[in-house]
mmCIF file of all heavy atoms in Angstrom:
data_model
loop_
_atom_site.group_PDB
_atom_site.id
_atom_site.type_symbol
_atom_site.label_atom_id
_atom_site.label_comp_id
_atom_site.label_asym_id
_atom_site.label_seq_id
_atom_site.Cartn_x
_atom_site.Cartn_y
_atom_site.Cartn_z
ATOM 1 N N ILE J 1 158.024 70.053 74.307
ATOM 2 C CA ILE J 1 158.228 71.469 73.995
ATOM 3 C C ILE J 1 156.966 72.251 74.326
ATOM 4 O O ILE J 1 155.862 71.884 73.926
ATOM 5 C CB ILE J 1 158.605 71.662 72.514
ATOM 6 C CG1 ILE J 1 159.912 70.921 72.195
ATOM 7 C CG2 ILE J 1 158.746 73.150 72.181
ATOM 8 C CD1 ILE J 1 160.353 71.016 70.744
ATOM 9 N N VAL J 2 157.137 73.333 75.086
ATOM 10 C CA VAL J 2 156.041 74.248 75.399
ATOM 11 C C VAL J 2 156.323 75.560 74.676
ATOM 12 O O VAL J 2 157.348 76.202 74.928
ATOM 13 C CB VAL J 2 155.916 74.488 76.911
ATOM 14 C CG1 VAL J 2 154.746 75.430 77.199
ATOM 15 C CG2 VAL J 2 155.731 73.165 77.656
ATOM 16 N N VAL J 3 155.433 75.930 73.775
ATOM 17 C CA VAL J 3 155.622 77.105 72.926
ATOM 18 C C VAL J 3 154.704 78.226 73.411
ATOM 19 O O VAL J 3 153.481 78.084 73.412
ATOM 20 C CB VAL J 3 155.310 76.774 71.457
ATOM 21 C CG1 VAL J 3 155.426 78.024 70.592
ATOM 22 C CG2 VAL J 3 156.243 75.682 70.945
ATOM 23 N N ILE J 4 155.293 79.343 73.820
ATOM 24 C CA ILE J 4 154.542 80.526 74.212
ATOM 25 C C ILE J 4 154.612 81.519 73.063
ATOM 26 O O ILE J 4 155.700 81.866 72.593
ATOM 27 C CB ILE J 4 155.145 81.176 75.480
ATOM 28 C CG1 ILE J 4 155.218 80.171 76.615
ATOM 29 C CG2 ILE J 4 154.360 82.417 75.874
ATOM 30 C CD1 ILE J 4 153.884 79.700 77.116
ATOM 31 N N THR J 5 153.458 81.981 72.577
ATOM 32 C CA THR J 5 153.465 82.869 71.423
ATOM 33 C C THR J 5 152.180 83.679 71.365
ATOM 34 O O THR J 5 151.194 83.368 72.041
ATOM 35 C CB THR J 5 153.633 82.055 70.118
ATOM 36 O OG1 THR J 5 153.714 82.941 68.998
ATOM 37 C CG2 THR J 5 152.447 81.108 69.909
ATOM 38 N N HIS J 6 152.208 84.739 70.567
ATOM 39 C CA HIS J 6 150.982 85.481 70.262
ATOM 40 C C HIS J 6 150.581 85.264 68.808
ATOM 41 O O HIS J 6 149.623 85.867 68.335
ATOM 42 C CB HIS J 6 151.191 86.989 70.515
ATOM 43 C CG HIS J 6 152.207 87.607 69.594
ATOM 44 N ND1 HIS J 6 153.558 87.527 69.822
ATOM 45 C CD2 HIS J 6 152.061 88.303 68.441
ATOM 46 C CE1 HIS J 6 154.201 88.161 68.848
ATOM 47 N NE2 HIS J 6 153.317 88.637 67.997
ATOM 48 N N GLU J 7 151.321 84.390 68.112
ATOM 49 C CA GLU J 7 151.107 84.176 66.683
ATOM 50 C C GLU J 7 150.466 82.807 66.419
ATOM 51 O O GLU J 7 151.070 81.774 66.683
ATOM 52 C CB GLU J 7 152.432 84.272 65.941
ATOM 53 C CG GLU J 7 153.109 85.622 66.080
ATOM 54 C CD GLU J 7 154.473 85.651 65.424
ATOM 55 O OE1 GLU J 7 155.385 84.987 65.931
ATOM 56 O OE2 GLU J 7 154.617 86.330 64.392
ATOM 57 N N MET J 8 149.271 82.820 65.863
ATOM 58 C CA MET J 8 148.577 81.568 65.576
ATOM 59 C C MET J 8 149.329 80.740 64.541
ATOM 60 O O MET J 8 149.286 79.510 64.567
ATOM 61 C CB MET J 8 147.158 81.861 65.083
ATOM 62 C CG MET J 8 146.263 80.640 65.020
ATOM 63 S SD MET J 8 145.989 79.851 66.630
ATOM 64 C CE MET J 8 144.688 80.898 67.294
ATOM 65 N N LYS J 9 150.066 81.389 63.631
ATOM 66 C CA LYS J 9 150.787 80.646 62.596
ATOM 67 C C LYS J 9 151.861 79.747 63.204
ATOM 68 O O LYS J 9 152.189 78.695 62.642
ATOM 69 C CB LYS J 9 151.418 81.605 61.589
ATOM 70 C CG LYS J 9 152.488 82.517 62.162
ATOM 71 C CD LYS J 9 152.979 83.516 61.129
ATOM 72 C CE LYS J 9 154.030 84.447 61.721
ATOM 73 N NZ LYS J 9 154.474 85.466 60.740
ATOM 74 N N VAL J 10 152.411 80.148 64.350
ATOM 75 C CA VAL J 10 153.392 79.305 65.042
ATOM 76 C C VAL J 10 152.699 78.062 65.598
ATOM 77 O O VAL J 10 153.191 76.938 65.455
ATOM 78 C CB VAL J 10 154.085 80.092 66.167
ATOM 79 C CG1 VAL J 10 154.948 79.170 67.025
ATOM 80 C CG2 VAL J 10 154.932 81.224 65.579
ATOM 81 N N ILE J 11 151.550 78.265 66.211
ATOM 82 C CA ILE J 11 150.789 77.149 66.795
ATOM 83 C C ILE J 11 150.389 76.154 65.723
ATOM 84 O O ILE J 11 150.554 74.939 65.883
ATOM 85 C CB ILE J 11 149.527 77.682 67.508
ATOM 86 C CG1 ILE J 11 149.900 78.621 68.670
ATOM 87 C CG2 ILE J 11 148.651 76.523 67.989
ATOM 88 C CD1 ILE J 11 150.647 77.968 69.791
ATOM 89 N N GLU J 12 149.861 76.658 64.613
ATOM 90 C CA GLU J 12 149.314 75.756 63.589
ATOM 91 C C GLU J 12 150.393 74.931 62.906
ATOM 92 O O GLU J 12 150.109 73.864 62.363
ATOM 93 C CB GLU J 12 148.500 76.549 62.564
ATOM 94 C CG GLU J 12 149.315 77.485 61.692
ATOM 95 C CD GLU J 12 148.462 78.501 60.942
ATOM 96 O OE1 GLU J 12 147.298 78.716 61.333
ATOM 97 O OE2 GLU J 12 148.965 79.094 59.966
ATOM 98 N N GLN J 13 151.637 75.407 62.931
ATOM 99 C CA GLN J 13 152.690 74.688 62.217
ATOM 100 C C GLN J 13 153.282 73.535 63.019
ATOM 101 O O GLN J 13 153.678 72.526 62.425
ATOM 102 C CB GLN J 13 153.806 75.659 61.806
ATOM 103 C CG GLN J 13 153.414 76.561 60.649
ATOM 104 C CD GLN J 13 154.564 77.440 60.197
ATOM 105 O OE1 GLN J 13 155.701 76.989 60.061
ATOM 106 N NE2 GLN J 13 154.280 78.705 59.962
ATOM 107 N N ILE J 14 153.358 73.648 64.341
ATOM 108 C CA ILE J 14 154.092 72.587 65.053
ATOM 109 C C ILE J 14 153.382 72.009 66.272
ATOM 110 O O ILE J 14 153.811 70.975 66.783
ATOM 111 C CB ILE J 14 155.499 73.059 65.494
ATOM 112 C CG1 ILE J 14 155.421 74.153 66.552
ATOM 113 C CG2 ILE J 14 156.323 73.499 64.310
ATOM 114 C CD1 ILE J 14 156.780 74.432 67.209
ATOM 115 N N CYS J 15 152.303 72.635 66.764
ATOM 116 C CA CYS J 15 151.743 72.191 68.043
ATOM 117 C C CYS J 15 150.716 71.071 67.882
ATOM 118 O O CYS J 15 149.970 71.033 66.899
ATOM 119 C CB CYS J 15 151.100 73.367 68.781
ATOM 120 S SG CYS J 15 152.308 74.585 69.350
ATOM 121 N N ASN J 16 150.679 70.182 68.878
ATOM 122 C CA ASN J 16 149.656 69.144 68.949
ATOM 123 C C ASN J 16 148.387 69.686 69.597
ATOM 124 O O ASN J 16 147.291 69.486 69.092
ATOM 125 C CB ASN J 16 150.160 67.950 69.770
ATOM 126 C CG ASN J 16 151.512 67.446 69.292
ATOM 127 O OD1 ASN J 16 152.492 67.512 70.023
ATOM 128 N ND2 ASN J 16 151.579 66.951 68.069
ATOM 129 N N ARG J 17 148.562 70.355 70.728
ATOM 130 C CA ARG J 17 147.439 70.946 71.448
ATOM 131 C C ARG J 17 147.765 72.387 71.796
ATOM 132 O O ARG J 17 148.919 72.809 71.756
ATOM 133 C CB ARG J 17 147.125 70.159 72.728
ATOM 134 C CG ARG J 17 146.599 68.749 72.482
ATOM 135 C CD ARG J 17 146.087 68.111 73.776
ATOM 136 N NE ARG J 17 147.128 68.079 74.793
ATOM 137 C CZ ARG J 17 146.937 68.440 76.061
ATOM 138 N NH1 ARG J 17 145.761 68.873 76.469
ATOM 139 N NH2 ARG J 17 147.935 68.355 76.934
ATOM 140 N N VAL J 18 146.716 73.137 72.145
ATOM 141 C CA VAL J 18 146.919 74.554 72.425
ATOM 142 C C VAL J 18 145.981 74.995 73.547
ATOM 143 O O VAL J 18 144.856 74.508 73.668
ATOM 144 C CB VAL J 18 146.678 75.411 71.155
ATOM 145 C CG1 VAL J 18 145.247 75.245 70.647
ATOM 146 C CG2 VAL J 18 146.987 76.878 71.403
ATOM 147 N N ALA J 19 146.485 75.904 74.378
ATOM 148 C CA ALA J 19 145.665 76.562 75.391
ATOM 149 C C ALA J 19 145.610 78.050 75.046
ATOM 150 O O ALA J 19 146.631 78.657 74.726
ATOM 151 C CB ALA J 19 146.264 76.367 76.781
ATOM 152 N N ILE J 20 144.401 78.605 75.083
ATOM 153 C CA ILE J 20 144.211 80.027 74.823
ATOM 154 C C ILE J 20 144.133 80.740 76.164
ATOM 155 O O ILE J 20 143.309 80.389 77.020
ATOM 156 C CB ILE J 20 142.911 80.295 74.032
ATOM 157 C CG1 ILE J 20 142.797 79.364 72.820
ATOM 158 C CG2 ILE J 20 142.831 81.755 73.623
ATOM 159 C CD1 ILE J 20 143.842 79.561 71.766
ATOM 160 N N ILE J 21 144.991 81.738 76.364
ATOM 161 C CA ILE J 21 144.983 82.496 77.603
ATOM 162 C C ILE J 21 144.536 83.925 77.314
ATOM 163 O O ILE J 21 144.995 84.546 76.350
ATOM 164 C CB ILE J 21 146.362 82.463 78.303
ATOM 165 C CG1 ILE J 21 146.294 83.124 79.678
ATOM 166 C CG2 ILE J 21 147.449 83.077 77.441
ATOM 167 C CD1 ILE J 21 147.531 82.903 80.538
ATOM 168 N N ALA J 22 143.604 84.413 78.113
ATOM 169 C CA ALA J 22 143.095 85.777 77.967
ATOM 170 C C ALA J 22 142.731 86.310 79.339
ATOM 171 O O ALA J 22 142.095 85.609 80.137
ATOM 172 C CB ALA J 22 141.880 85.803 77.038
ATOM 173 N N ASP J 23 143.130 87.534 79.618
ATOM 174 C CA ASP J 23 142.817 88.171 80.904
ATOM 175 C C ASP J 23 143.172 87.272 82.081
ATOM 176 O O ASP J 23 142.377 87.098 83.019
ATOM 177 C CB ASP J 23 141.335 88.550 80.960
ATOM 178 C CG ASP J 23 140.959 89.553 79.876
ATOM 179 O OD1 ASP J 23 141.792 90.414 79.564
ATOM 180 O OD2 ASP J 23 139.847 89.443 79.330
ATOM 181 N N SER J 24 144.347 86.654 82.000
ATOM 182 C CA SER J 24 144.913 85.852 83.092
ATOM 183 C C SER J 24 144.255 84.499 83.287
ATOM 184 O O SER J 24 144.572 83.783 84.235
ATOM 185 C CB SER J 24 144.859 86.625 84.424
ATOM 186 O OG SER J 24 145.393 87.920 84.283
ATOM 187 N N ASN J 25 143.339 84.118 82.375
ATOM 188 C CA ASN J 25 142.631 82.846 82.492
ATOM 189 C C ASN J 25 142.831 81.991 81.244
ATOM 190 O O ASN J 25 142.986 82.522 80.138
ATOM 191 C CB ASN J 25 141.120 83.084 82.673
ATOM 192 C CG ASN J 25 140.794 83.751 83.990
ATOM 193 O OD1 ASN J 25 140.649 83.093 85.006
ATOM 194 N ND2 ASN J 25 140.683 85.069 83.972
ATOM 195 N N ILE J 26 142.803 80.675 81.425
ATOM 196 C CA ILE J 26 142.742 79.771 80.277
ATOM 197 C C ILE J 26 141.278 79.701 79.841
ATOM 198 O O ILE J 26 140.420 79.227 80.592
ATOM 199 C CB ILE J 26 143.261 78.359 80.633
ATOM 200 C CG1 ILE J 26 144.722 78.417 81.076
ATOM 201 C CG2 ILE J 26 143.098 77.425 79.431
ATOM 202 C CD1 ILE J 26 145.695 78.887 80.018
ATOM 203 N N VAL J 27 140.985 80.180 78.619
ATOM 204 C CA VAL J 27 139.596 80.245 78.167
ATOM 205 C C VAL J 27 139.226 79.082 77.247
ATOM 206 O O VAL J 27 138.048 78.769 77.091
ATOM 207 C CB VAL J 27 139.303 81.590 77.475
ATOM 208 C CG1 VAL J 27 139.444 82.732 78.474
ATOM 209 C CG2 VAL J 27 140.219 81.823 76.272
ATOM 210 N N GLU J 28 140.234 78.477 76.622
ATOM 211 C CA GLU J 28 140.001 77.294 75.793
ATOM 212 C C GLU J 28 141.243 76.433 75.808
ATOM 213 O O GLU J 28 142.364 76.931 75.923
ATOM 214 C CB GLU J 28 139.683 77.662 74.337
ATOM 215 C CG GLU J 28 138.312 78.241 74.103
ATOM 216 C CD GLU J 28 137.956 78.289 72.620
ATOM 217 O OE1 GLU J 28 138.062 77.231 71.950
ATOM 218 O OE2 GLU J 28 137.566 79.362 72.140
ATOM 219 N N ILE J 29 141.041 75.130 75.660
ATOM 220 C CA ILE J 29 142.164 74.203 75.553
ATOM 221 C C ILE J 29 141.703 72.990 74.751
ATOM 222 O O ILE J 29 140.565 72.537 74.891
ATOM 223 C CB ILE J 29 142.679 73.784 76.952
ATOM 224 C CG1 ILE J 29 143.983 72.999 76.855
ATOM 225 C CG2 ILE J 29 141.632 73.004 77.716
ATOM 226 C CD1 ILE J 29 144.680 72.809 78.199
ATOM 227 N N GLY J 30 142.561 72.514 73.867
ATOM 228 C CA GLY J 30 142.196 71.362 73.057
ATOM 229 C C GLY J 30 143.208 71.138 71.957
ATOM 230 O O GLY J 30 144.256 71.796 71.904
ATOM 231 N N THR J 31 142.910 70.208 71.074
ATOM 232 C CA THR J 31 143.797 70.013 69.938
ATOM 233 C C THR J 31 143.721 71.251 69.055
ATOM 234 O O THR J 31 142.715 71.979 69.047
ATOM 235 C CB THR J 31 143.398 68.778 69.111
ATOM 236 O OG1 THR J 31 142.119 69.011 68.501
ATOM 237 C CG2 THR J 31 143.335 67.526 69.986
ATOM 238 N N VAL J 32 144.786 71.483 68.312
ATOM 239 C CA VAL J 32 144.813 72.644 67.425
ATOM 240 C C VAL J 32 143.654 72.565 66.439
ATOM 241 O O VAL J 32 142.981 73.567 66.155
ATOM 242 C CB VAL J 32 146.169 72.727 66.692
ATOM 243 C CG1 VAL J 32 146.151 73.841 65.643
ATOM 244 C CG2 VAL J 32 147.292 72.965 67.700
#
């Protein structure tokens, strides 16, 4: 499952890892 969201509460509840996207770039990626 790939979850696209603007809400951190969604990420923290179900995701294993997360990528942060800002200004068209991935600025961080790692475990939640």
Side-chain angles (χ1 to χ4, degrees):
I1 299 178
V2 181
V3 177
I4 304 294
T5 183
H6 65 278
E7 299 175 291
M8 192 62 82
K9 64 185 179 183
V10 171
I11 298 295
E12 68 195 18
Q13 286 184 44
I14 66 168
C15 292
N16 308 116
R17 293 190 303 134
V18 61
I20 312 295
I21 187 169
D23 298 325
S24 310
N25 293 275
I26 299 297
V27 296
E28 287 193 53
I29 189 168
T31 66
V32 173

